[in-house]
Amino acid sequence: MTTTFDRGAPAPAKPDQGRRGSHALRWWVLAVLGVAQLMVVLDATVVNIALPAAQRDLGFSDGDRQWVVTGYALAFGSLLLLGGRLSDLFGRRNTFIIGLIGFAGASAVGGAATSFEMLVAARVGQGVFGALLAPAALSLLTVTFTEPGERAKAFGIFGAVAGAGGAIGLLLGGMLTEWANWRWVMFVNLAFAAVALVGAVLLLAKHVTENRPKLDIPGTVVVTAALFGIVYGFSHAESTSWTNPVTLSFLIGGAVLIAVFAFLETKVKNPLLPLRIVLDRTRGGSFLTVFVMGIGMFAIFLFLTYYMQLSMGYSPIKTGLAFLPMVAAMVVSSTTVPSFVLPKLGPKVVMSGGFLIAAGGMAWLTQIGLETGYASHILPALILLGLGLGGAMSTAFQGATSGVHHEDAGVASAMINTSQQVGGSIGTALLSTIAASAATDYLSTRTPDPLTVAQSAVESYTTSFWWATAIFVAGALITAILMPNTVPVPSEGEPVLAH
């Protein structure tokens, strides 16, 4: 395959190509990519707090409400690998800009929605363009920062944005819903997209290709169907049961199609996901780390939000503010661990240790009750969770793109987002089912008065936190076994800055 480059600089020939262009420009590029990544990540949670208001305004049922969330997750999760490969084939700048414009357009439609169907269509549109945008952003970061010191800092900042976006989404959703209108949780994306779009046009070089390889159509169709089946299967399990025929059909079908996809990728000339990307131990271990984090992190945002609002009586804004110490701890950890700790201890120790610190924070949350306080039971746990997950997340982001050729950077980046999205879908279904069962079991032997009903809710949260603790411990063990303890090497550089 002929190598492609972006116009504005010669082909890389020196090992210090990572120093290309202006030092300051690279950090401005990081700012642009961070804004776009924040928009995509927070959109997974910013809508949640606004849903009751949207439901009242548009008049849809409780049963329909889940589709506002599921529609985004299905489109985003099933199309990520395709979006990542398109950014490799047609240019990261082009894909990034198209993703920004499309995401903004879908957000505008959602904010102006006059019906439930229009809102869901807009959320699906956000998922489609988000699947273009997220891999392009991370792959641009991967090929822009190749000098080890700068790379560690850049991935730390980007990892902090990715990890903290969910909590920021809760705060932003609460502020916009309480102070303005639920529609602004959609309209606010226009501001994010506008800033990122201006930066992309000014800073990123235009893409020129000498040879455009063919897209792996069979692999694309199969893996898109597989991911759709898995994400939908877990979403359906949350609202029905694990033994529901539709749930089982989609989950089993998705698993079978994943196996078919793996076989196809060994046979085609231009595979959608070259297996060399996932079979490398550093990258494979990093993908698994992000996957397990996606499962466990769901418990933090969903059940702790329920607890603070329903049991402690917090407003949406106060709930969002309560998560800020976790965000701060995550930023501190993400920006210091890759630069100072990772080179000394290695990724195996950093990621396993991060999981164990996060498990300690999650175990702390299991001690909550109807009368417990924020300072004694929630704050210390959130700080531990932020420190542990921030260090592990930023290291995993760096490891997942370690040593990839620039023509594979997009699809490798997409695998990170896919791992997180599928993990989140599994966490949603698994932990929601466990929580519901725990509440039912608690009430089965007690008289259902207001106090026991309130206590059954707390019982459901603490049970979920115990399971999330076990999931994080399992993540530490998996990482310790699979991950080599060598510092991730930079990806192959490519000129991406406009001159």
Side-chain angles (χ1 to χ4, degrees):
M1 168 175 141
T2 304
T3 304
T4 63
F5 301 102
D6 291 322
R7 187 170 64 209
K14 297 179 181 180
D16 64 345
Q17 183 67 53
R19 304 296 299 178
R20 64 195 176 279
S22 163
H23 172 86
L25 276 182
R26 282 199 295 280
W27 294 104
W28 278 110
V29 168
L30 173 61
V32 169
L33 301 179
V35 168
Q37 177 71 9
L38 179 62
M39 179 178 71
V40 173
V41 173
L42 66 80
D43 231 68
T45 57
V46 71
V47 174
N48 291 4
I49 288 180
L51 266 181
Q55 185 177 359
R56 289 192 299 270
D57 194 7
L58 299 180
F60 52 88
S61 67
D62 289 344
D64 289 337
R65 185 172 59 189
Q66 65 163 325
W67 286 104
V68 180
V69 176
T70 304
Y72 179 84
L74 286 173
F76 186 59
S78 60
L79 294 174
L80 273 166
L81 284 178
L82 174 60
R85 184 46 95 193
L86 289 177
S87 74
D88 289 329
L89 299 183
F90 301 111
R92 298 177 187 93
R93 179 186 188 269
N94 296 339
T95 309
F96 185 74
I97 289 174
I98 291 170
L100 279 174
I101 294 172
F103 199 98
S107 299
V109 171
T114 56
S115 67
F116 168 72
E117 291 78 12
M118 188 174 174
L119 179 59
V120 171
R123 289 288 286 165
V124 171
Q126 285 183 318
V128 170
F129 288 104
L132 289 177
L133 184 58
L138 184 54
S139 61
L140 280 166
L141 181 74
T142 299
V143 298
T144 300
F145 291 91
T146 56
E147 192 276 322
E150 290 186 349
R151 178 180 170 84
K153 294 176 185 176
F155 271 86
I157 295 169
F158 197 82
V161 170
I168 295 172
L170 292 173
L171 174 58
L172 187 61
M175 292 170 64
L176 292 172
T177 302
E178 196 165 318
W179 291 346
N181 183 283
W182 71 266
R183 296 180 184 276
W184 281 98
V185 304
M186 305 292 281
F187 287 141
V188 72
N189 290 323
L190 300 178
F192 285 110
V195 171
L197 181 60
V198 170
V201 171
L202 294 177
L203 297 174
L204 300 176
K206 294 181 180 179
H207 180 82
V208 175
T209 181
E210 299 172 10
N211 179 41
R212 184 169 290 163
K214 294 180 179 179
L215 186 65
D216 172 18
I217 299 298
T220 298
V221 172
V222 170
V223 78
T224 300
L227 291 172
F228 181 93
I230 290 170
V231 173
Y232 181 77
F234 279 108
S235 298
H236 197 265
E238 180 189 4
S239 57
T240 56
S241 70
W242 292 101
T243 56
N244 180 275
V246 175
T247 299
L248 291 174
S249 297
F250 274 93
L251 290 177
I252 295 171
V256 170
L257 288 175
I258 286 290
V260 172
F261 173 69
F263 174 76
L264 286 176
E265 297 308 272
T266 65
K267 302 298 180 183
V268 296
K269 183 179 179 181
N270 297 300
L272 177 69
L273 176 64
L275 295 185
R276 62 179 177 270
I277 290 176
V278 294
L279 294 179
D280 176 86
R281 285 180 62 195
T282 297
R283 292 194 292 268
S286 298
F287 295 141
L288 280 172
T289 294
V290 175
F291 172 75
V292 175
M293 280 183 196
I295 299 175
M297 282 181 69
F298 170 78
I300 306 169
F301 296 126
L302 184 72
F303 296 114
L304 198 51
T305 297
Y306 286 164
Y307 173 68
M308 287 191 283
Q309 290 194 13
L310 301 179
S311 299
M312 300 181 73
Y314 283 14
S315 68
I317 293 178
K318 190 173 181 180
T319 301
L321 289 172
F323 278 104
L324 287 185
M326 176 183 171
V327 175
M330 192 171 281
V331 170
V332 170
S333 182
S334 296
T335 53
T336 56
V337 167
S339 300
F340 301 108
V341 182
L342 179 60
K344 297 178 181 178
L345 300 181
K348 181 197 293 279
V349 176
V350 168
M351 286 198 275
S352 297
F355 268 126
L356 291 176
I357 292 171
M362 196 66 82
W364 197 309
L365 285 176
T366 64
Q367 304 307 304
I368 61 171
L370 289 175
E371 302 297 330
T372 50
Y374 174 81
S376 60
H377 286 73
I378 298 177
L379 179 61
L382 288 178
I383 292 174
L384 286 174
L385 284 161
L387 292 174
L389 294 176
M393 177 82 79
S394 57
T395 303
F397 268 57
Q398 191 173 160
T401 56
S402 171
V404 296
H405 298 294
H406 64 80
E407 65 266 23
D408 291 333
V411 74
S413 302
M415 270 299 297
I416 302 176
N417 291 282
T418 303
S419 300
Q420 189 174 34
Q421 183 67 29
V422 174
S425 297
I426 291 174
T428 300
L430 177 64
L431 296 175
S432 292
T433 304
I434 289 169
S437 298
T440 301
D441 291 345
Y442 183 85
L443 288 173
S444 65
T445 57
R446 294 168 176 85
T447 303
D449 56 48
L451 180 61
T452 56
V453 170
Q455 186 59 48
S456 72
V458 173
E459 189 73 17
S460 72
Y461 308 148
T462 56
T463 302
S464 298
F465 293 147
W466 275 123
W467 274 84
T469 301
I471 288 167
F472 284 151
V473 171
L477 293 174
I478 292 170
T479 303
I481 294 169
L482 294 181
M483 195 79 181
N485 206 35
T486 53
V487 177
V489 298
S491 305
E492 184 179 297
E494 181 186 41
V496 294
L497 296 175
H499 286 190

